[in-house]
Amino acid sequence: MSNLTQSNTWKTLEEHYGEISESHMRDMFAEDPQRFEKFSLKLNDILFDYSKNIIDSKTMEQLYQLANDCDMGRWIQRMFDGEPINQTEHRAVLHTALRNKSGEAVMVDGEDVMPAVLAVQQRVKKLAEAIRTRSWRGYYNQPITDVVNIGIGGSNLGPLMVTEALRPYSLHDLNIHYVSNIDENHINDTLEKLNPGTTFFIIASKSFTTQDTMVNAETARQWHINAAGDDRNIDKHFCAVSSNVKAAVEFGIDENNVFQMWDWVGGRYSLWSAISLPIVIAIGQENFDELLRGAYEADVHFKNAPLNKNIPVTMAMLGIWYNNFFGAQATAVLPYDQHLHKFPAYMQQADMESNGKSVDRQGQVVDYSTGPVLFGEIGISGQHAFFQLLHQGTKLVPADILAPVSNIKCIARHHRALMSNVFAQAEALMKGRTEEEAYAELVAAGMDEGEIKALLPNKIFTGNRPTSTFLFNSLSPATLGSLIALYEHKIFVQGIIWNINSFDQWGVELGKKLASGILQELDDNEPTLSHDSSTNGLINYYKELRLKNKGESA
Ligand code: F6P
């Protein structure tokens, strides 16, 4: 039995769960008119309403107590101080240094990293400005019209999500493309529309060894060489972002075009680093600085706010409440802003790669549930797809709703309709519809008793389905920066409670290793016999059809 589940606070929470789990939020709201004020927090223009959760004051007191028991304040300090809290990789966790606007030093192994961080930011700014102002020229002296970021995981999802989110702040005559999939359709579909003379590639890979990215980078290089005639102009069309400068240079990229990142920045936390290059090209340095400022303000809040006023801590502890006491297996992220359409995919990596762990910091297999399955979609689209399960399914899926009070180019008719859905969905999930209400509606619709009897059970919504809502003024760079940082810190807090390392990702290694062995087996058409019967069967079916297809096309 772990210390966590044996602790007094955990046991108190288990008992309390027994008391509260049968209560309905409908009644909680009816009994306490102050519930919204009591259970909502603010950071700048971001309102975080968590009153539609199955909680009362005692729940929150005990959850904060649990955070306190786990020495949360000290862990937060350790992260910001650059201690090597990613202990399996012996690394500090300092994405916060990349947005540190305090002017203070951040020490790693006795060295202040801020001068190097700022120097790389300056280089990113310079290149981005040259491309934006059309002074960066391609091999036949044309300005760049298209930038292709080749990267995967954190070297793709963060910049992609932010580029999409801040589309209204972007230059309109400069297109940013993202290629991540090793499936050649991705790069082919992207390149077929582009002109090699006006296309600039960013090879984004922290390790510069990731197979998907390396294969795509080679294809891009060849595409360029085929058009340009040789590789003499590679430096006009390629740059790299990596902590493995040597490998980038060996690939053929001019060292002056390599932007460094550091091993204390995890891939899924790297959008604040030079991995941001496509973002800065799209939105410009001033807007990017705003993104950093927003994140920094969330960092300051996270570091200084008491646990019970701390948004990331509150988000995290609500997640613990459902995950570990209600047994919820999943959680949903539902943005109601079209520009946040990549936010759920980004959050999926951030959360699931961080907290999808089953071994604790001491190397023991945990005896409690850790990170949930995170999924999501633009809320409006989700309503017409999977919300049925959220409303009436047998599973409890706590959800986050994110919505802007206004859009940059706001057409009132659209936005009001959008917002009516935000409020209605959260209310419906919370309140549900009782048997009496459903009955009255069916009577009002003119149905006879027989029809009502048949339909009534389907019309009942139990409600009591938790949501937390983030309302913010508009999706400005600063607000987006704050939102991302709040979620990053939520993930951190949950990792501390579960006593796991949120900053490594050993679980992605095995598949990579097996793939490199299987790749060699795919070189010939001999039957493969070295695996289990399923894997052999699949490989051999592939080889058979491949051979047949070749025969047909020959
Ligand atoms: O395979 C997982 C992973 O290591 C992620 O953690 C990372 O963001 C991604 O691959 C890409 O890695 P890299 O930037 O080193 O190419």
Side-chain angles (χ1 to χ4, degrees):
M1 285 284 183
S2 66
N3 292 341
L4 179 65
T5 53
Q6 287 310 297
S7 73
N8 287 339
T9 311
W10 191 274
K11 288 185 175 155
T12 308
L13 278 162
E14 275 174 340
E15 267 171 40
H16 177 62
Y17 165 73
E19 292 154 19
I20 203 175
S21 58
E22 296 305 314
S23 314
H24 201 293
M25 281 189 270
R26 246 178 200 253
D27 304 324
M28 296 180 182
F29 274 98
E31 280 157 21
D32 182 0
Q34 298 303 311
R35 191 172 164 85
F36 168 73
E37 284 75 17
K38 210 183 266 175
F39 297 125
S40 55
L41 292 166
K42 271 191 85 181
L43 173 66
N44 299 330
D45 65 322
I46 300 173
L47 168 71
F48 172 54
D49 168 25
Y50 61 100
S51 58
K52 290 195 188 80
N53 279 286
I54 310 168
I55 53 165
D56 61 14
S57 300
K58 182 172 174 196
T59 324
M60 294 315 296
E61 264 164 40
Q62 290 304 313
L63 287 171
Y64 293 128
Q65 183 59 47
L66 184 64
N68 199 41
D69 294 351
C70 294
D71 223 358
M72 197 56 65
R74 170 89 190 102
W75 275 102
I76 295 172
Q77 199 57 48
R78 290 185 69 191
M79 175 171 73
F80 280 94
D81 285 352
E83 286 189 32
I85 59 170
N86 172 359
Q87 91 280 359
T88 59
E89 296 180 311
H90 314 289
R91 290 173 183 169
V93 174
L94 272 178
H95 43 282
T96 51
L98 302 166
R99 57 213 192 198
N100 167 27
K101 299 271 178 200
S102 69
E104 284 164 19
V106 177
M107 308 301 284
V108 179
D109 297 331
E111 196 190 325
D112 178 11
V113 296
M114 287 314 296
V117 167
L118 297 175
V120 173
Q121 274 175 10
Q122 280 309 312
R123 291 185 55 224
V124 166
K125 175 180 171 186
K126 204 169 153 213
L127 173 61
E129 279 309 298
I131 292 178
R132 284 169 63 81
T133 56
R134 305 168 78 85
S135 59
W136 186 280
R137 296 285 159 144
Y139 64 84
Y140 64 89
N141 202 30
Q142 293 293 302
I144 299 301
T145 56
D146 293 89
V147 174
V148 182
N149 188 84
I150 296 180
I152 198 161
S155 302
N156 166 67
L157 288 166
L160 170 60
M161 181 273 286
V162 174
T163 308
E164 289 296 300
L166 299 180
R167 188 172 273 277
Y169 296 82
S170 302
L171 282 183
H172 293 301
D173 53 356
L174 194 54
N175 306 307
I176 315 286
H177 312 264
Y178 288 89
V179 171
S180 53
N181 198 338
I182 199 167
D183 176 356
E184 65 185 302
N185 286 326
H186 201 178
I187 192 153
N188 285 349
D189 290 354
T190 307
L191 297 186
E192 74 183 5
K193 296 172 243 130
L194 306 186
N195 173 350
T198 60
T199 299
F200 187 82
F201 291 96
I202 301 168
I203 314 300
S205 175
K206 182 178 165 188
S207 59
F208 225 81
T209 57
T210 304
Q211 185 195 37
D212 322 68
T213 301
M214 292 304 107
V215 170
N216 278 322
E218 192 46 48
T219 301
R221 200 167 84 117
Q222 210 46 57
W223 180 78
H224 165 82
I225 291 171
N226 290 349
D230 53 44
D231 66 0
R232 277 179 304 165
N233 289 301
I234 286 268
D235 57 334
K236 294 194 173 88
H237 292 271
F238 281 79
C239 78
V241 181
S242 186
S243 58
N244 188 353
V245 178
K246 189 167 162 272
V249 171
E250 275 165 16
F251 174 83
I253 293 177
D254 188 321
E255 195 163 350
N256 294 320
N257 284 1
V258 182
F259 296 86
Q260 206 200 337
M261 38 192 309
W262 298 272
D263 65 6
W264 40 262
V265 184
R268 53 195 172 274
Y269 299 92
S270 66
L271 74 85
W272 320 100
S273 71
I275 287 288
S276 64
L277 180 57
I279 306 174
V280 186
I281 294 173
I283 66 172
Q285 185 65 36
E286 255 178 54
N287 285 319
F288 185 68
D289 276 339
E290 280 294 287
L291 184 88
L292 296 180
R293 183 178 64 77
Y296 171 68
E297 284 172 5
D299 293 345
V300 172
H301 164 85
F302 181 50
K303 223 172 17 168
N304 299 334
L307 297 181
N308 64 356
K309 297 271 178 284
N310 197 307
I311 298 178
V313 172
T314 305
M315 292 163 72
M317 299 317 293
L318 289 168
I320 300 281
W321 181 228
Y322 295 117
N323 192 74
N324 294 92
F325 296 92
F326 283 74
Q329 295 292 317
T331 187
V333 180
L334 308 167
Y336 277 77
D337 184 315
Q338 183 57 30
H339 290 141
L340 281 177
H341 71 112
K342 286 287 174 190
F343 195 73
Y346 168 77
M347 285 309 310
Q348 223 158 38
Q349 186 197 12
D351 203 308
M352 292 167 80
E353 199 168 63
S354 296
N355 285 341
K357 313 279 165 68
S358 49
V359 169
D360 70 16
R361 286 182 169 272
Q362 287 69 43
Q364 302 297 317
V365 175
V366 298
D367 60 1
Y368 43 83
S369 174
T370 61
V373 175
L374 187 148
F375 71 103
E377 177 51 276
I378 286 295
I380 287 286
S381 308
Q383 283 174 216
H384 299 277
F386 57 81
F387 270 42
Q388 167 63 37
L389 185 148
L390 303 190
H391 284 289
Q392 288 189 312
T394 53
K395 294 177 177 57
L396 181 76
V397 184
D400 283 357
I401 290 173
L402 298 94
V405 169
S406 63
N407 268 335
I408 270 202
K409 292 176 190 154
C410 192
I411 302 175
R413 188 166 56 87
H414 279 258
H415 200 69
R416 282 194 194 157
L418 173 80
M419 294 307 290
S420 67
N421 279 276
V422 168
F423 303 132
Q425 288 298 328
E427 187 177 28
L429 286 161
M430 182 276 282
K431 276 176 92 174
R433 184 162 57 197
T434 63
E435 187 171 343
E436 295 70 42
E437 288 165 346
Y439 182 82
E441 276 184 34
L442 295 177
V443 170
M447 284 192 182
D448 65 34
E449 278 303 318
E451 286 173 312
I452 291 180
K453 196 169 173 227
L455 203 53
L456 188 61
N458 303 286
K459 291 283 195 173
I460 297 167
F461 287 57
T462 55
N464 222 20
R465 314 256 165 161
T467 58
S468 301
T469 301
F470 292 87
L471 273 193
F472 41 90
N473 191 28
S474 71
L475 192 60
S476 67
T479 298
L480 179 65
S482 294
L483 283 171
I484 301 168
L486 293 176
Y487 273 95
E488 285 177 346
H489 295 321
K490 168 207 144 168
I491 293 165
F492 169 81
V493 170
Q494 293 188 331
I496 298 305
I497 301 287
W498 290 320
N499 189 27
I500 54 179
N501 180 1
S502 303
F503 301 102
D504 58 14
Q505 56 282 318
W506 300 105
V508 299
E509 296 299 323
L510 178 61
K512 282 188 193 175
K513 189 161 177 272
L514 293 184
S516 76
I518 291 176
L519 182 61
Q520 286 167 24
E521 292 175 332
L522 301 186
D523 278 347
D524 59 44
N525 289 318
E526 296 304 313
T528 294
L529 303 168
S530 55
H531 305 268
D532 58 274
S533 65
S534 165
T535 310
N536 286 339
L538 290 167
I539 293 175
N540 292 328
Y541 185 69
Y542 161 78
K543 285 185 175 181
E544 251 172 61
L545 283 197
R546 178 176 71 174
L547 204 57
K548 189 163 161 262
N549 293 343
K550 224 183 193 170
E552 278 166 5
S553 61

